[in-house]
């Protein structure tokens, strides 16, 4: 039981980071990015190709992060520009359709140019004993990185001027404009940050299991479900939902079997949405 | 919270409001025209088994597109489980007929009813909890993923990855390519007639009212919730019927026959071609897509890239759908002021 809960936490932390990238973009700009998983995949692929070019793993992973951020920036500068000119649900829907198109473009290209490739960062080392359970080194390192990321996000949004500026845009776009914050610029920064988070997911995930070129869509869907369960726009909600769903998933899979566990995860998500349409920590507008 | 938002969302995709012809002859005229053109297809496709198979699949997708269009285009419910509902029809028909021993027609009807019930239930939950477009989309997406995993996992019943052989219908006209094509075409026309009659009935007025402005419709006494669920019931029945019929014709069902990536995504592209919210648009979109997909078959994976570009271009610049826009360009007489809407039905 302890083992599967710990596995669930490892998985849940990654779910949380995955969802945080989506939920930030939604909370700030009312934009749903369906090409989010593809950003993760591209970052993973860039890391892989850089490593194949002879660069050591750590700098290669950093280049992967830069690639993720750059892709986020490209999205902001291109297909999201017409999206920003709309408001409310029309904006969400247009962003959803356009980023779906972008996801096809990336998927089509990757499947054509790099079929069956995948990033697999093997972390060697003896298993570490945590609470009497032997954890694989890859899981421990991945979780360590994820926890640091969560800490940095917390610090960024709680204590820095930039974080406060972003939170004020989430709360009231018009009001923040009045006090001299440029929502457009904040949105651009958040898209870069979201791209970097997607890259972090790809890299940490590849320490536990390979992330292949076809994983984009399922990463997006998983992120979307965790985001909605946590409450659209809420970062703490994203992490809470990530942990809850991660633990449900791995406990269910060790006791019931893999295929039913995914269904249990999905049903749990559906029940949460139906009972609390605003999500676990979401605020009703 | 969801009221105005939903209306805004759907008017985005529906583009300008669609005029609905009130004359019955005109309605049947446009459906008959579509039927006549499609009925001629086997003449030039000839006796190529593969091409007839593609044509039959194209017609099945036309039914899916009509069903999705009825649910999303007319009442603004983003159902991301088109494939799963068709799969309820397909697997339902196959299992009821082959395993339980129900007569084929009864199995088909029961499976379609099952799909209608599931779709209606999803819609009822979304309406009761007043979930917005996105949340309803996620709930239906979750259902689609659960269905796919259930089919993959319960391999003793469903054959898992490789699917199951459908023996019901074998040896009948359903396995003859040409007659099967006309059966499927009949189903397309049936769906069109049902949707067309719905549009010009009282229900259709309610659909348009709640699509244009849900709050105003509610205030004017339209029972928004009830009509949403009706649309989901009828649309899902179409999906289940088409999925079941296709299973009988194809003789085999597998998870990819009804997968999200293989069905839902394609249906969205088809509607982008044909125009969301129009009557015959989905059929035109399905036809154009099927032909285009065959022409581009050499491109392999790059086809996906091409469709991605097309989706972006279509939703960015030609929101009413490719075909209605082209039709308007053709119909617009030289010298007439730009923006004059064509008469009657777009598409």
């Amino acid at each position: 039981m302890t083992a599967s809960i710990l596995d669930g936490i490892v998985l849940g932390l990654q779910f949380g980071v995955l969802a945080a990238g989506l939920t930030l973009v939604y909370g700030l700009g009312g934009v749903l990015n369906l090409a989010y998983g593809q950003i993760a995949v591209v970052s993973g692929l860039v890391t892989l190709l850089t490593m194949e070019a002879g660069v050591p793993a750590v700098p290669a992973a950093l280049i992967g992060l830069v690639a993720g951020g750059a892709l986020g920036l490209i999205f902001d500068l291109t297909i999201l520009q017409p999206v920003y000119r709309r408001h409310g649900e029309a904006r969400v829907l247009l962003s959803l359709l356009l980023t779906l198109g972008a996801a096809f473009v990336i998927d089509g290209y990757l499947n054509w140019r790099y079929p069956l490739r995948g990033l697999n960062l093997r972390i060697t080392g003896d298993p570490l004993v945590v609470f009497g359970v032997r954890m694989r080194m890859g899981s421990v390192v991945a979780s360590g990185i994820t926890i640091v990321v969560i800490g940095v996000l917390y610090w960024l949004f709680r204590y820095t001027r930039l974080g406060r500026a972003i939170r004020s845009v989430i709360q009231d776009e018009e009001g923040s404009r009045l006090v001299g914050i440029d929502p457009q610029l904040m949105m651009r920064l958040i898209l870069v940050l979201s791209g970097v988070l997607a890259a972090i997911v790809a890299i940490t995930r590849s320490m536990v299991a390979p992330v292949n070129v076809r994983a984009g869509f399922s990463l997006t869907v998983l992120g979307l479900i965790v985001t909605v369960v946590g409450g659209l726009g809420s970062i703490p909600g994203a992490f809470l939902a990530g942990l809850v769903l991660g633990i449900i998933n791995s406990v269910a899979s060790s006791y019931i079997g893999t295929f039913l566990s995914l269904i249990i995860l999905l049903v749990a998500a559906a029940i949460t949405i139906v009972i609390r349409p605003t999500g676990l920590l979401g605020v009703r507008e | 919270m969801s009221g105005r938002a939903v209306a805004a969302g759907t008017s985005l995709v529906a583009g300008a409001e669609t005029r609905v012809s009130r004359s019955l002859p005109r309605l049947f005229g446009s459906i008959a025209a579509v039927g006549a053109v499609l009925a001629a297809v086997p003449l030039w496709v000839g006796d190529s088994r593969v091409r007839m198979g593609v044509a039959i699949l194209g017609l099945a997708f036309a039914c899916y597109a009509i069903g999705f269009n009825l649910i999303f285009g007319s009442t603004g419910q983003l159902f991301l489980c088109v494939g799963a509902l068709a799969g309820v029809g397909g697997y339902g028909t196959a299992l009821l007929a082959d395993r339980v021993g129900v007569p084929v027609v009864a199995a088909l009807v029961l499976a379609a009813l099952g799909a209608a019930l599931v779709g209606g239930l999803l819609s009822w939950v979304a309406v009761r909890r007043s979930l917005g477009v996105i949340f309803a989309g996620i709930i239906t997406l979750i259902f689609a993923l659960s269905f796919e995993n259930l089919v993959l996992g319960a391999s003793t019943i469903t054959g898992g990855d490789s699917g199951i052989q459908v023996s019901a219908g074998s040896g009948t006209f359903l396995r003859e390519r040409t007659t099967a094509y006309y059966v499927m075409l009949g189903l397309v026309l049936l769906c069109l007639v049902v949707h067309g009659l719905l549009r010009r009935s009282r229900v259709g007025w309610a659909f348009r009212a709640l699509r244009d402005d849900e709050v105003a419709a509610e205030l004017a006494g339209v029972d928004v919730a009830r009509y949403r669920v009706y649309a989901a019931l009828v649309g899902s029945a179409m999906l289940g019927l088409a999925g079941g019929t296709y299973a009988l014709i194809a003789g085999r069902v597998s998870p990819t026959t009804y997968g999200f990536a293989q069905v839902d995504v394609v249906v969205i592209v088809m509607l982008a071609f044909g125009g969301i919210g129009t009557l015959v648009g989905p059929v035109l979109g399905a036809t154009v897509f099927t032909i285009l997909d065959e022409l581009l078959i050499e491109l392999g994976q790059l086809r996906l890239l091409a469709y991605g570009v097309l989706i972006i271009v279509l939703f960015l610049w030609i929101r009413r759908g490719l075909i209605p826009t082209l039709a308007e360009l053709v119909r617009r007489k030289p010298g007439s002021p730009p923006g004059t809407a064509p008469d009657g039905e777009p598409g």
Side-chain angles (χ1 to χ4, degrees), chain B residues 1-95:
Chain B
M1 169 191 118
S2 66
R4 214 160 263 291
V6 174
T10 40
S11 61
L12 163 87
V13 284
E17 46 77 62
T18 28
R19 288 227 213 143
V20 171
S21 165
R22 259 183 288 171
S23 88
L24 208 54
R26 186 177 246 168
L27 168 72
F28 283 108
S30 57
I31 295 176
V34 169
V37 172
L38 289 177
V41 166
L43 295 181
W44 63 268
V45 166
D47 39 42
S48 156
R49 257 190 93 73
V50 177
R51 285 205 174 175
M52 278 307 284
V54 171
I56 292 170
L57 186 60
L59 288 180
F61 270 95
C63 292
Y64 300 159
I66 297 169
F68 179 67
N69 186 40
L70 171 58
I71 301 172
F72 181 56
S74 295
T75 61
Q77 305 178 82
L78 185 54
F79 260 44
L80 296 176
C81 55
V82 173
L85 289 174
V88 171
Y91 275 95
T93 306
L95 294 176

Side-chain angles (χ1 to χ4, degrees), chain A residues 245 248-249 252-253 256-271, chain B residues 142-154:
Chain A
L245 293 178
I248 289 179
N249 186 50
S253 70
I256 307 169
T258 333
F259 102 85
L260 273 177
S261 80
L262 191 58
I263 292 176
I264 288 173
L265 172 84
L266 292 169
V267 170
I271 290 172
Chain B
I142 287 178
F143 167 67
L145 296 176
S146 308
F147 179 78
E148 246 177 286
N149 281 294
L150 199 64
V151 168
L152 278 173

Side-chain angles (χ1 to χ4, degrees), chain A residues 147-162:
Chain A
I147 288 168
V148 170
V149 169
I150 295 170
V152 169
L153 281 179
Y154 182 77
W155 166 78
L156 179 74
F157 284 102
R158 188 103 185 95
Y159 295 110
T160 64
R161 276 179 72 85
L162 178 65

Side-chain angles (χ1 to χ4, degrees), chain A:
Chain A
M1 189 71 185
T2 325
S4 47
I5 288 178
L6 278 176
D7 274 344
I9 291 173
V10 172
L11 190 67
L13 286 170
Q14 284 170 354
F15 281 0
V17 177
L18 185 70
L22 269 181
T23 211
L24 270 172
V25 173
Y26 182 84
L28 194 66
V31 168
L32 263 184
N33 180 7
L34 290 191
Y36 183 64
Q38 273 75 15
I39 297 183
V41 168
V42 169
S43 314
L45 190 68
V46 167
T47 310
L48 175 72
L49 295 178
T50 317
M51 279 167 68
E52 281 176 356
V55 178
V58 173
L62 290 177
I63 291 174
L65 298 189
V66 173
L71 211 51
L73 184 64
I74 293 172
F75 272 66
D76 177 79
L77 293 174
T78 55
I79 56 167
L80 290 183
Q81 287 301 322
V83 172
Y84 296 146
R85 285 197 286 276
R86 298 180 179 278
H87 294 284
E89 201 109 347
R91 185 190 274 189
V92 184
L93 214 54
L94 187 65
S95 70
L96 198 138
L97 293 166
L98 292 183
T99 53
L100 185 70
F104 287 171
V105 171
I106 296 176
D107 257 2
Y109 179 74
L110 292 184
N111 284 327
W112 169 71
R113 182 77 180 72
Y114 304 100
L116 306 174
R117 299 303 299 276
L119 179 65
N120 191 5
L121 290 176
R122 258 179 245 98
I123 307 270
T124 46
D126 295 325
L128 207 69
V129 179
V130 184
F131 295 116
V133 180
R134 289 157 58 84
M135 298 289 287
R136 278 188 305 159
M137 205 55 203
S139 304
V140 175
V141 174
S143 303
I145 295 175
T146 315
I147 288 168
V148 170
V149 169
I150 295 170
V152 169
L153 281 179
Y154 182 77
W155 166 78
L156 179 74
F157 284 102
R158 188 103 185 95
Y159 295 110
T160 64
R161 276 179 72 85
L162 178 65
R164 274 200 291 265
I166 292 170
R167 279 194 295 149
S168 76
V169 179
I170 293 180
Q171 251 170 27
D172 186 347
E173 194 174 319
E174 232 14 76
S176 68
R177 210 191 297 271
L178 288 176
V179 296
I181 298 165
D182 178 2
Q184 202 66 48
L185 178 68
M186 294 303 137
M187 193 60 198
R188 190 156 297 161
L189 290 175
I190 282 303
L191 266 156
V192 173
L193 177 63
S194 136
V196 173
L197 289 175
I200 291 173
V201 171
I203 289 161
T204 53
R205 186 108 197 91
S206 71
M207 296 173 182
V208 184
V211 176
N212 71 17
V213 208
R214 290 175 182 274
F217 180 69
S218 52
L219 280 175
T220 307
V221 169
L222 206 57
L224 212 53
I225 290 170
V226 177
T227 304
V228 170
V229 169
L232 277 168
S234 159
I235 308 174
F239 285 109
L240 178 64
L243 283 177
V244 170
L245 293 178
I247 292 172
I248 289 179
N249 186 50
S250 61
V251 170
S253 70
S254 65
Y255 286 92
I256 307 169
T258 333
F259 102 85
L260 273 177
S261 80
L262 191 58
I263 292 176
I264 288 173
L265 172 84
L266 292 169
V267 170
I271 290 172
T272 320
I273 297 168
V274 170
I275 293 174
R276 264 188 80 88
T278 48
L280 292 175
L281 297 182
V283 186
R284 188 171 270 277
E285 282 170 29

Side-chain angles (χ1 to χ4, degrees), chain B residues 8-306:
Chain B
T10 40
S11 61
L12 163 87
V13 284
E17 46 77 62
T18 28
R19 288 227 213 143
V20 171
S21 165
R22 259 183 288 171
S23 88
L24 208 54
R26 186 177 246 168
L27 168 72
F28 283 108
S30 57
I31 295 176
V34 169
V37 172
L38 289 177
V41 166
L43 295 181
W44 63 268
V45 166
D47 39 42
S48 156
R49 257 190 93 73
V50 177
R51 285 205 174 175
M52 278 307 284
V54 171
I56 292 170
L57 186 60
L59 288 180
F61 270 95
C63 292
Y64 300 159
I66 297 169
F68 179 67
N69 186 40
L70 171 58
I71 301 172
F72 181 56
S74 295
T75 61
Q77 305 178 82
L78 185 54
F79 260 44
L80 296 176
C81 55
V82 173
L85 289 174
V88 171
Y91 275 95
T93 306
L95 294 176
L96 281 174
D98 287 357
R99 297 286 168 94
V100 187
V102 177
V104 177
V105 177
L108 187 60
V109 171
L110 282 177
L113 278 178
L117 280 180
V118 173
L121 185 70
L122 286 169
S123 167
W124 184 76
V125 169
V127 166
R128 282 312 295 258
R129 300 294 303 164
S130 56
L131 302 177
V133 167
I134 303 305
F135 292 89
I138 302 275
I139 289 278
T140 50
L141 178 66
I142 287 178
F143 167 67
L145 296 176
S146 308
F147 179 78
E148 246 177 286
N149 281 294
L150 199 64
V151 168
L152 278 173
S155 49
T156 44
I157 306 169
T158 61
D161 220 357
S162 48
I164 39 169
Q165 208 78 37
V166 184
S167 51
S170 62
T172 65
F173 60 95
L174 285 172
R175 297 294 163 87
E176 294 289 332
R177 287 285 140 166
T178 316
T179 43
Y181 178 87
Y182 287 113
V183 168
M184 214 67 207
L185 180 58
L187 201 56
V188 171
L189 297 179
L190 176 70
C191 292
L192 279 180
V193 169
V194 169
H195 191 191
L197 289 177
L198 270 181
R199 278 161 70 98
R200 54 180 299 288
S201 69
R202 228 160 47 90
V203 182
W205 288 106
F207 283 174
R208 271 190 304 289
L210 75 93
R211 195 192 62 198
D212 291 342
D213 190 335
E214 189 184 318
V215 179
E218 186 124 46
L219 289 174
V222 177
D223 188 345
V224 171
R226 195 152 56 104
Y227 285 113
R228 282 237 158 90
V229 178
Y230 281 174
L233 277 170
V234 176
S236 307
M238 288 177 183
L239 297 174
L241 201 57
T245 310
Y246 184 73
L248 291 175
I249 289 173
R252 165 163 219 93
V253 286
S254 74
T256 52
T257 319
Y258 306 110
F260 181 83
Q262 289 83 5
V263 176
D264 290 73
V265 165
V266 173
V267 166
I268 290 175
V269 180
M270 285 173 173
L271 279 196
F273 280 156
I276 296 174
T278 62
L279 178 64
V280 290
V283 183
L284 297 178
T287 313
V288 170
F289 181 88
T290 307
I291 295 171
L292 195 66
D293 203 49
E294 275 300 292
L295 292 178
L296 296 180
I297 204 152
E298 305 269 301
L299 286 180
Q301 287 291 346
L302 280 183
R303 269 185 298 175
L304 195 59
L305 193 154

